[in-house]
mmCIF file of all heavy atoms in Angstrom:
data_model
loop_
_atom_site.group_PDB
_atom_site.id
_atom_site.type_symbol
_atom_site.label_atom_id
_atom_site.label_comp_id
_atom_site.label_asym_id
_atom_site.label_seq_id
_atom_site.Cartn_x
_atom_site.Cartn_y
_atom_site.Cartn_z
ATOM 1 N N HIS A 173 -7.288 -1.429 -23.707
ATOM 2 C CA HIS A 173 -7.474 -2.873 -23.573
ATOM 3 C C HIS A 173 -6.505 -3.428 -22.539
ATOM 4 O O HIS A 173 -5.313 -3.141 -22.583
ATOM 5 C CB HIS A 173 -7.251 -3.577 -24.917
ATOM 6 C CG HIS A 173 -7.505 -5.057 -24.860
ATOM 7 N ND1 HIS A 173 -6.505 -5.971 -24.645
ATOM 8 C CD2 HIS A 173 -8.651 -5.778 -24.979
ATOM 9 C CE1 HIS A 173 -7.016 -7.188 -24.632
ATOM 10 N NE2 HIS A 173 -8.310 -7.096 -24.837
ATOM 11 N N TRP A 174 -7.042 -4.203 -21.592
ATOM 12 C CA TRP A 174 -6.222 -4.932 -20.613
ATOM 13 C C TRP A 174 -6.357 -6.431 -20.864
ATOM 14 O O TRP A 174 -7.460 -6.955 -21.013
ATOM 15 C CB TRP A 174 -6.680 -4.632 -19.191
ATOM 16 C CG TRP A 174 -6.087 -3.384 -18.597
ATOM 17 C CD1 TRP A 174 -5.297 -2.470 -19.217
ATOM 18 C CD2 TRP A 174 -6.259 -2.918 -17.252
ATOM 19 N NE1 TRP A 174 -4.959 -1.462 -18.352
ATOM 20 C CE2 TRP A 174 -5.535 -1.711 -17.141
ATOM 21 C CE3 TRP A 174 -6.963 -3.389 -16.148
ATOM 22 C CZ2 TRP A 174 -5.480 -0.975 -15.960
ATOM 23 C CZ3 TRP A 174 -6.920 -2.666 -14.968
ATOM 24 C CH2 TRP A 174 -6.183 -1.476 -14.876
ATOM 25 N N HIS A 175 -5.218 -7.100 -20.878
ATOM 26 C CA HIS A 175 -5.140 -8.563 -20.992
ATOM 27 C C HIS A 175 -4.517 -9.026 -19.675
ATOM 28 O O HIS A 175 -3.301 -8.905 -19.481
ATOM 29 C CB HIS A 175 -4.273 -8.922 -22.197
ATOM 30 C CG HIS A 175 -4.303 -10.359 -22.605
ATOM 31 N ND1 HIS A 175 -5.365 -10.932 -23.255
ATOM 32 C CD2 HIS A 175 -3.385 -11.354 -22.452
ATOM 33 C CE1 HIS A 175 -5.104 -12.196 -23.511
ATOM 34 N NE2 HIS A 175 -3.909 -12.473 -23.026
ATOM 35 N N VAL A 176 -5.358 -9.506 -18.750
ATOM 36 C CA VAL A 176 -4.931 -9.802 -17.387
ATOM 37 C C VAL A 176 -4.860 -11.315 -17.188
ATOM 38 O O VAL A 176 -5.850 -12.027 -17.412
ATOM 39 C CB VAL A 176 -5.902 -9.188 -16.355
ATOM 40 C CG1 VAL A 176 -5.440 -9.490 -14.929
ATOM 41 C CG2 VAL A 176 -6.017 -7.681 -16.572
ATOM 42 N N THR A 177 -3.685 -11.797 -16.737
ATOM 43 C CA THR A 177 -3.497 -13.232 -16.523
ATOM 44 C C THR A 177 -3.134 -13.508 -15.073
ATOM 45 O O THR A 177 -2.072 -13.085 -14.610
ATOM 46 C CB THR A 177 -2.383 -13.783 -17.433
ATOM 47 O OG1 THR A 177 -2.656 -13.453 -18.799
ATOM 48 C CG2 THR A 177 -2.280 -15.306 -17.292
ATOM 49 N N PRO A 178 -3.988 -14.208 -14.312
ATOM 50 C CA PRO A 178 -3.595 -14.665 -12.974
ATOM 51 C C PRO A 178 -2.547 -15.775 -13.113
ATOM 52 O O PRO A 178 -2.807 -16.781 -13.786
ATOM 53 C CB PRO A 178 -4.894 -15.209 -12.380
ATOM 54 C CG PRO A 178 -5.992 -14.774 -13.308
ATOM 55 C CD PRO A 178 -5.358 -14.607 -14.643
ATOM 56 N N LEU A 179 -1.402 -15.612 -12.511
ATOM 57 C CA LEU A 179 -0.332 -16.594 -12.703
ATOM 58 C C LEU A 179 -0.368 -17.720 -11.678
ATOM 59 O O LEU A 179 0.014 -18.847 -11.997
ATOM 60 C CB LEU A 179 1.028 -15.883 -12.658
ATOM 61 C CG LEU A 179 1.247 -14.812 -13.739
ATOM 62 C CD1 LEU A 179 2.620 -14.177 -13.601
ATOM 63 C CD2 LEU A 179 1.064 -15.403 -15.135
ATOM 64 N N ASN A 180 -0.812 -17.417 -10.459
ATOM 65 C CA ASN A 180 -0.785 -18.460 -9.423
ATOM 66 C C ASN A 180 -2.008 -18.411 -8.505
ATOM 67 O O ASN A 180 -1.947 -18.812 -7.356
ATOM 68 C CB ASN A 180 0.497 -18.359 -8.589
ATOM 69 C CG ASN A 180 0.599 -17.048 -7.809
ATOM 70 O OD1 ASN A 180 -0.225 -16.147 -7.998
ATOM 71 N ND2 ASN A 180 1.588 -16.954 -6.935
ATOM 72 N N TRP A 181 -3.123 -17.901 -9.023
ATOM 73 C CA TRP A 181 -4.310 -17.794 -8.185
ATOM 74 C C TRP A 181 -5.582 -17.900 -9.038
ATOM 75 O O TRP A 181 -5.560 -17.642 -10.241
ATOM 76 C CB TRP A 181 -4.319 -16.472 -7.400
ATOM 77 C CG TRP A 181 -4.222 -15.226 -8.269
ATOM 78 C CD1 TRP A 181 -3.079 -14.615 -8.692
ATOM 79 C CD2 TRP A 181 -5.316 -14.487 -8.825
ATOM 80 N NE1 TRP A 181 -3.386 -13.522 -9.478
ATOM 81 C CE2 TRP A 181 -4.755 -13.411 -9.573
ATOM 82 C CE3 TRP A 181 -6.706 -14.599 -8.756
ATOM 83 C CZ2 TRP A 181 -5.537 -12.471 -10.250
ATOM 84 C CZ3 TRP A 181 -7.485 -13.669 -9.434
ATOM 85 C CH2 TRP A 181 -6.897 -12.621 -10.169
ATOM 86 N N SER A 182 -6.661 -18.270 -8.373
ATOM 87 C CA SER A 182 -7.991 -18.296 -8.974
ATOM 88 C C SER A 182 -8.959 -17.695 -7.964
ATOM 89 O O SER A 182 -8.895 -18.024 -6.775
ATOM 90 C CB SER A 182 -8.420 -19.726 -9.310
ATOM 91 O OG SER A 182 -7.529 -20.331 -10.227
ATOM 92 N N ALA A 183 -9.848 -16.819 -8.433
ATOM 93 C CA ALA A 183 -10.776 -16.149 -7.525
ATOM 94 C C ALA A 183 -11.752 -15.306 -8.321
ATOM 95 O O ALA A 183 -11.504 -14.982 -9.487
ATOM 96 C CB ALA A 183 -10.008 -15.255 -6.535
ATOM 97 N N PRO A 184 -12.864 -14.907 -7.688
ATOM 98 C CA PRO A 184 -13.746 -13.931 -8.341
ATOM 99 C C PRO A 184 -13.042 -12.582 -8.456
ATOM 100 O O PRO A 184 -12.312 -12.171 -7.548
ATOM 101 C CB PRO A 184 -14.941 -13.844 -7.382
ATOM 102 C CG PRO A 184 -14.833 -15.030 -6.497
ATOM 103 C CD PRO A 184 -13.394 -15.364 -6.400
ATOM 104 N N VAL A 185 -13.277 -11.892 -9.564
ATOM 105 C CA VAL A 185 -12.653 -10.589 -9.811
ATOM 106 C C VAL A 185 -13.735 -9.592 -10.183
ATOM 107 O O VAL A 185 -14.580 -9.871 -11.041
ATOM 108 C CB VAL A 185 -11.607 -10.673 -10.946
ATOM 109 C CG1 VAL A 185 -11.136 -9.288 -11.359
ATOM 110 C CG2 VAL A 185 -10.422 -11.519 -10.504
ATOM 111 N N GLN A 186 -13.707 -8.455 -9.527
ATOM 112 C CA GLN A 186 -14.571 -7.338 -9.895
ATOM 113 C C GLN A 186 -13.758 -6.335 -10.698
ATOM 114 O O GLN A 186 -12.617 -6.002 -10.336
ATOM 115 C CB GLN A 186 -15.140 -6.649 -8.655
ATOM 116 C CG GLN A 186 -16.228 -7.435 -7.958
ATOM 117 C CD GLN A 186 -16.771 -6.688 -6.749
ATOM 118 O OE1 GLN A 186 -16.020 -6.205 -5.920
ATOM 119 N NE2 GLN A 186 -18.085 -6.580 -6.667
ATOM 120 N N VAL A 187 -14.336 -5.861 -11.782
ATOM 121 C CA VAL A 187 -13.707 -4.850 -12.636
ATOM 122 C C VAL A 187 -14.521 -3.576 -12.530
ATOM 123 O O VAL A 187 -15.755 -3.612 -12.635
ATOM 124 C CB VAL A 187 -13.640 -5.323 -14.105
ATOM 125 C CG1 VAL A 187 -12.982 -4.257 -14.975
ATOM 126 C CG2 VAL A 187 -12.901 -6.654 -14.205
ATOM 127 N N ARG A 188 -13.871 -2.464 -12.313
ATOM 128 C CA ARG A 188 -14.581 -1.191 -12.177
ATOM 129 C C ARG A 188 -13.970 -0.144 -13.105
ATOM 130 O O ARG A 188 -12.742 0.004 -13.183
ATOM 131 C CB ARG A 188 -14.525 -0.688 -10.738
ATOM 132 C CG ARG A 188 -15.150 0.691 -10.553
ATOM 133 C CD ARG A 188 -15.220 1.107 -9.090
ATOM 134 N NE ARG A 188 -16.317 0.425 -8.406
ATOM 135 C CZ ARG A 188 -16.752 0.767 -7.197
ATOM 136 N NH1 ARG A 188 -16.179 1.763 -6.542
ATOM 137 N NH2 ARG A 188 -17.741 0.116 -6.649
ATOM 138 N N ALA A 189 -14.837 0.573 -13.804
ATOM 139 C CA ALA A 189 -14.425 1.697 -14.657
ATOM 140 C C ALA A 189 -15.156 2.949 -14.186
ATOM 141 O O ALA A 189 -16.350 2.889 -13.859
ATOM 142 C CB ALA A 189 -14.748 1.421 -16.115
ATOM 143 N N LEU A 190 -14.452 4.061 -14.179
ATOM 144 C CA LEU A 190 -15.023 5.331 -13.756
ATOM 145 C C LEU A 190 -14.979 6.329 -14.903
ATOM 146 O O LEU A 190 -13.964 6.438 -15.596
ATOM 147 C CB LEU A 190 -14.238 5.924 -12.579
ATOM 148 C CG LEU A 190 -14.056 5.070 -11.325
ATOM 149 C CD1 LEU A 190 -13.215 5.824 -10.300
ATOM 150 C CD2 LEU A 190 -15.397 4.674 -10.738
ATOM 151 N N LEU A 191 -16.067 7.043 -15.090
ATOM 152 C CA LEU A 191 -16.077 8.243 -15.920
ATOM 153 C C LEU A 191 -16.146 9.400 -14.939
ATOM 154 O O LEU A 191 -17.197 9.703 -14.361
ATOM 155 C CB LEU A 191 -17.262 8.248 -16.879
ATOM 156 C CG LEU A 191 -17.522 9.513 -17.714
ATOM 157 C CD1 LEU A 191 -16.255 10.030 -18.366
ATOM 158 C CD2 LEU A 191 -18.597 9.262 -18.745
ATOM 159 N N ARG A 192 -15.015 10.019 -14.701
ATOM 160 C CA ARG A 192 -14.900 11.010 -13.636
ATOM 161 C C ARG A 192 -15.547 12.330 -14.067
ATOM 162 O O ARG A 192 -15.248 12.870 -15.125
ATOM 163 C CB ARG A 192 -13.434 11.209 -13.262
ATOM 164 C CG ARG A 192 -12.758 9.897 -12.859
ATOM 165 C CD ARG A 192 -11.295 10.070 -12.592
ATOM 166 N NE ARG A 192 -11.078 10.697 -11.303
ATOM 167 C CZ ARG A 192 -10.156 11.623 -11.071
ATOM 168 N NH1 ARG A 192 -9.408 12.063 -12.068
ATOM 169 N NH2 ARG A 192 -9.983 12.113 -9.866
ATOM 170 N N THR A 193 -16.451 12.820 -13.241
ATOM 171 C CA THR A 193 -17.224 14.010 -13.596
ATOM 172 C C THR A 193 -16.503 15.305 -13.259
ATOM 173 O O THR A 193 -16.958 16.381 -13.642
ATOM 174 C CB THR A 193 -18.583 13.986 -12.883
ATOM 175 O OG1 THR A 193 -18.378 13.789 -11.470
ATOM 176 C CG2 THR A 193 -19.445 12.845 -13.411
ATOM 177 N N SER A 194 -15.392 15.211 -12.565
ATOM 178 C CA SER A 194 -14.589 16.405 -12.300
ATOM 179 C C SER A 194 -13.482 16.484 -13.350
ATOM 180 O O SER A 194 -12.978 15.467 -13.817
ATOM 181 C CB SER A 194 -13.978 16.358 -10.901
ATOM 182 O OG SER A 194 -13.155 15.211 -10.766
ATOM 183 N N ALA A 195 -13.130 17.682 -13.730
ATOM 184 C CA ALA A 195 -12.042 17.892 -14.677
ATOM 185 C C ALA A 195 -11.405 19.240 -14.379
ATOM 186 O O ALA A 195 -12.086 20.167 -13.930
ATOM 187 C CB ALA A 195 -12.552 17.860 -16.120
ATOM 188 N N CYS A 196 -10.111 19.339 -14.615
ATOM 189 C CA CYS A 196 -9.419 20.566 -14.244
ATOM 190 C C CYS A 196 -8.257 20.835 -15.190
ATOM 191 O O CYS A 196 -7.775 19.941 -15.873
ATOM 192 C CB CYS A 196 -8.905 20.482 -12.804
ATOM 193 S SG CYS A 196 -7.817 19.055 -12.534
ATOM 194 N N ASN A 197 -7.833 22.080 -15.231
ATOM 195 C CA ASN A 197 -6.634 22.493 -15.951
ATOM 196 C C ASN A 197 -5.641 23.014 -14.910
ATOM 197 O O ASN A 197 -5.565 24.203 -14.652
ATOM 198 C CB ASN A 197 -6.952 23.612 -16.962
ATOM 199 C CG ASN A 197 -7.649 23.103 -18.208
ATOM 200 O OD1 ASN A 197 -8.600 22.335 -18.128
ATOM 201 N ND2 ASN A 197 -7.176 23.525 -19.369
ATOM 202 N N THR A 198 -4.913 22.085 -14.297
ATOM 203 C CA THR A 198 -4.039 22.487 -13.187
ATOM 204 C C THR A 198 -2.597 22.007 -13.361
ATOM 205 O O THR A 198 -1.823 22.060 -12.427
ATOM 206 C CB THR A 198 -4.567 21.937 -11.852
ATOM 207 O OG1 THR A 198 -4.675 20.507 -11.939
ATOM 208 C CG2 THR A 198 -5.932 22.526 -11.519
ATOM 209 N N ARG A 199 -2.252 21.524 -14.552
ATOM 210 C CA ARG A 199 -0.909 20.959 -14.725
ATOM 211 C C ARG A 199 0.175 22.025 -14.618
ATOM 212 O O ARG A 199 1.233 21.781 -14.059
ATOM 213 C CB ARG A 199 -0.814 20.243 -16.068
ATOM 214 C CG ARG A 199 0.467 19.452 -16.235
ATOM 215 C CD ARG A 199 0.545 18.341 -15.212
ATOM 216 N NE ARG A 199 1.898 17.883 -14.979
ATOM 217 C CZ ARG A 199 2.298 17.264 -13.882
ATOM 218 N NH1 ARG A 199 1.453 17.064 -12.900
ATOM 219 N NH2 ARG A 199 3.532 16.849 -13.742
#
Side-chain angles (χ1 to χ4, degrees):
H173 183 265
W174 275 6
H175 191 74
V176 181
T177 306
L179 299 180
N180 63 352
W181 56 272
S182 300
V185 170
Q186 286 181 311
V187 180
R188 175 174 283 192
L190 305 178
L191 173 47
R192 304 176 76 220
T193 53
S194 59
C196 57
N197 284 47
T198 57
R199 189 63 202 157

